[in-house]
Amino acid sequence: MGRHKGYDREEVLEKAMHLFWRKGYEGAHLQELVEVTGLNRFSLYKEFRGKDGLYEAAVDHYLGGLRHLSEVLNREPLGMANILEEVRLVVFSDFPYGCFMTNALTQQEVLNERIRKRVRDFVTASEQMVLKNLEAARLRGELSPDSDLAGLAKFIVTFDIGIVTFSTTQPTQEDKRRIYENFRLMLTRGTGVQSPGSGEASDAPAVLVNRTR
Amino acid sequence: MGRHKGYDREEVLEKAMHLFWRKGYEGAHLQELVEVTGLNRFSLYKEFRGKDGLYEAAVDHYLGGLRHLSEVLNREPLGMANILEEVRLVVFSDFPYGCFMTNALTQQEVLNERIRKRVRDFVTASEQMVLKNLEAARLRGELSPDSDLAGLAKFIVTFDIGIVTFSTTQPTQEDKRRIYENFRLMLTRGTGVQSPGSGEASDAPAVLVNRTR
DNA sequence: AATATTTTTCACCTATCGTTCTGAAAAATA
DNA sequence: TATTTTTCAGAACGATAGGTGAAAAATATT
């Protein structure tokens, strides 16, 4: 009953998300959102009830997409290799606009409280995923028993946030190689873990990664 | 000759900078800027040629302020201790709005080309300051002769960017302590350098620090 | 005191913001 | 086919954005 929708909600969200991603909440004007999504204003309001709602839906869309993107940190066997792989993917991502969620961290003053909480919770969730791998790593003897795992998880997430933001300066491939290699050395020598060595980028996803599609 | 200005340029810039800092370029509306600076629209336009000019002047103001703020990385004797001290100050800063310049990194799409370059150059300059300390550290035997100093500098700056951004999640003092301690362990054990140990925050300034005044 | 010079005040401008409304087109149901 | 339901395209909404012009107010010079 009724006319068919001329748009696909997920496609619209994907496009809207990318505009918010590049321009930020205030920087992404409704006119641009209409143009880039192809969705007209009326339908946009009916579906998302305004700019706030669209942004919030875009956050959900991003988070939903992360379910399969976080597979690196969730895949067995858990341990340091997963963490290094995740960081490697983040470092070698070619998307130069940071991370949708961590960009939002510096926009909290113009976001409503609910979204602000969502954004902060994302950081906590990332920590938890890293921590899970660290705990497994300790059980497997990759880390000394007295390591501060929670602190180490925070350190790693902090570095992730740093690298996605640093990526906006358009570092060269060589720059990225050196940054990752130094991180790997720090982490392995600093914790005494066995290292899987450095490598090239792949298309696989990561937690704080710059999703390009 | 003529009437006195009812405002102090530096004070105006300080206040404008803080609003841009918290809200971002698009998020800081002219009306708010007028209210917070106390300067009326016309005088604001006359002095700074509009919002762009004001933002650019605020960047200059910030950078100017950093001249004496970068003293930690520039003070003798150069070496790893300076770097650890600088990171420590960044970590323990209580200002929860990130760093004015690194926040701008994620707003590049709404900034004009000149400012964008200014912002990126800031990152490069920070790298150079860290690098200078690393080179001195190598000469002093704090680092092995075959270390990749430029890469290590990028790693450290990346971590700095990460921590100022992470600070927007309002981490506890204990969280900060653990993050810094893990960074210190990574850096010292990862490079084999002598560590000065961890400590509390001081009021001294730093390079990527959150300036609160 | 008079004049010149500069800053400030305040009203107003146009453009665009996010939002809402209207009427017509299209598809599903009766 | 007629009716209902929903989407679509666009105009129009009030509010506010950033930017400006002319006159008033205040200071410095003569």
Side-chain angles (χ1 to χ4, degrees):
Chain A
M1 53 156 72
R3 181 173 167 177
H4 290 200
K5 290 182 180 180
Y7 60 91
D8 175 59
R9 189 185 150 98
E10 292 302 305
E11 282 179 16
V12 166
L13 283 176
E14 187 71 16
K15 288 170 180 167
M17 177 187 74
H18 269 98
L19 192 66
F20 280 128
W21 197 329
R22 291 194 297 114
K23 306 268 188 116
Y25 179 78
E26 296 255 1
H29 299 212
L30 205 59
Q31 186 55 37
E32 292 179 279
L33 287 164
V34 166
E35 287 165 7
V36 91
T37 59
L39 188 54
N40 62 71
R41 289 168 118 78
F42 181 89
S43 301
L44 194 151
Y45 269 81
K46 186 167 193 304
E47 182 81 44
F48 304 106
R49 55 168 129 49
K51 196 180 180 183
D52 296 43
L54 180 56
Y55 187 86
E56 198 167 349
V59 169
D60 289 339
H61 175 75
Y62 178 85
L63 259 27
L66 276 189
R67 259 200 311 267
H68 20 101
L69 284 171
S70 64
E71 63 174 22
V72 174
L73 279 176
N74 283 322
R75 82 179 157 211
E76 305 286 346
L78 300 172
M80 295 304 280
N82 284 10
I83 292 174
L84 278 165
E85 175 65 6
E86 181 263 338
V87 171
R88 202 178 63 77
L89 290 167
V90 174
V91 170
F92 285 103
S93 165
D94 282 330
F95 193 65
Y97 303 108
C99 162
F100 183 45
M101 299 304 283
T102 62
N103 288 2
L105 284 176
T106 59
Q107 297 175 44
Q108 291 183 70
E109 292 290 300
V110 291
L111 299 176
N112 71 47
E113 185 52 45
R114 190 168 57 223
I115 298 182
R116 208 179 310 184
K117 183 175 187 324
R118 202 74 125 264
V119 171
R120 294 189 187 184
D121 286 347
F122 166 75
V123 175
T124 309
S126 299
E127 274 182 46
Q128 291 305 315
M129 276 196 267
V130 172
L131 181 57
K132 191 171 63 175
N133 279 270
L134 289 173
E135 285 167 345
R138 175 150 65 183
L139 285 176
R140 302 167 83 216
E142 297 179 339
L143 289 170
S144 78
D146 62 328
S147 300
D148 171 22
L149 300 192
L152 188 53
K154 285 178 194 299
F155 167 84
I156 290 165
V157 167
T158 296
F159 182 75
D160 265 338
I161 295 173
I163 189 61
V164 291
T165 306
F166 182 80
S167 76
T168 64
T169 66
Q170 307 259 37
T172 66
Q173 201 69 10
E174 172 63 8
D175 287 339
K176 296 175 186 173
R177 216 213 77 245
R178 295 164 99 171
I179 291 174
Y180 174 70
E181 183 59 16
N182 269 279
F183 176 79
R184 195 182 64 79
L185 285 176
M186 293 295 117
L187 196 64
T188 53
R189 295 216 283 243
T191 59
V193 74
Q194 292 279 4
S195 162
S198 65
E200 275 306 298
S202 85
D203 288 331
V207 168
L208 286 165
V209 81
N210 313 289
R211 292 181 52 223
T212 52
R213 30 159 79 255
Chain B
M1 46 157 74
R3 180 173 166 176
H4 292 298
K5 288 182 180 180
Y7 59 91
D8 175 60
R9 190 185 150 99
E10 293 302 306
E11 282 179 17
V12 166
L13 283 175
E14 187 71 16
K15 287 168 180 167
M17 179 187 74
H18 270 98
L19 192 65
F20 280 128
W21 196 330
R22 291 193 297 116
K23 304 270 187 112
Y25 180 78
E26 296 254 0
H29 299 231
L30 205 56
Q31 186 55 37
E32 291 179 281
L33 287 163
V34 165
E35 286 165 7
V36 91
T37 60
L39 190 52
N40 60 75
R41 287 167 111 79
F42 187 85
S43 301
L44 194 151
Y45 184 78
K46 189 169 191 299
E47 181 83 42
F48 303 107
R49 299 209 319 251
K51 197 180 181 183
D52 292 41
L54 180 57
Y55 187 85
E56 199 167 347
V59 170
D60 289 340
H61 175 75
Y62 179 85
L63 259 27
L66 276 190
R67 259 201 313 266
H68 22 100
L69 284 171
S70 63
E71 64 174 21
V72 175
L73 280 176
N74 283 321
R75 83 180 156 209
E76 304 287 345
L78 300 171
M80 296 303 280
N82 284 9
I83 292 175
L84 278 166
E85 175 64 7
E86 181 263 339
V87 171
R88 202 179 61 79
L89 290 168
V90 174
V91 171
F92 286 103
S93 165
D94 283 331
F95 193 65
Y97 302 108
C99 162
F100 183 45
M101 299 304 283
T102 63
N103 287 3
L105 285 175
T106 59
Q107 297 177 43
Q108 291 183 70
E109 292 290 300
V110 290
L111 299 177
N112 71 47
E113 186 50 46
R114 191 168 58 223
I115 299 182
R116 209 179 307 184
K117 183 174 188 324
R118 200 77 125 264
V119 172
R120 294 189 188 184
D121 286 347
F122 166 76
V123 176
T124 310
S126 299
E127 273 182 47
Q128 292 305 315
M129 277 196 267
V130 172
L131 181 57
K132 191 170 65 173
N133 280 270
L134 289 174
E135 286 167 344
R138 175 150 67 182
L139 285 176
R140 303 168 83 217
E142 296 179 341
L143 288 171
S144 78
D146 61 328
S147 300
D148 171 21
L149 300 192
L152 189 52
K154 285 179 195 298
F155 167 85
I156 291 165
V157 167
T158 295
F159 181 75
D160 264 338
I161 295 173
I163 188 61
V164 290
T165 307
F166 182 80
S167 77
T168 63
T169 66
Q170 308 259 38
T172 66
Q173 200 69 11
E174 172 64 8
D175 287 339
K176 296 176 187 174
R177 216 213 79 245
R178 294 164 99 170
I179 290 174
Y180 175 71
E181 183 60 15
N182 270 279
F183 176 80
R184 194 182 64 80
L185 285 176
M186 293 293 119
L187 197 63
T188 53
R189 295 216 283 243
T191 59
V193 73
Q194 293 277 5
S195 162
S198 64
E200 275 306 299
S202 84
D203 289 330
V207 168
L208 286 164
V209 81
N210 313 290
R211 294 181 50 224
T212 50
R213 35 159 71 259

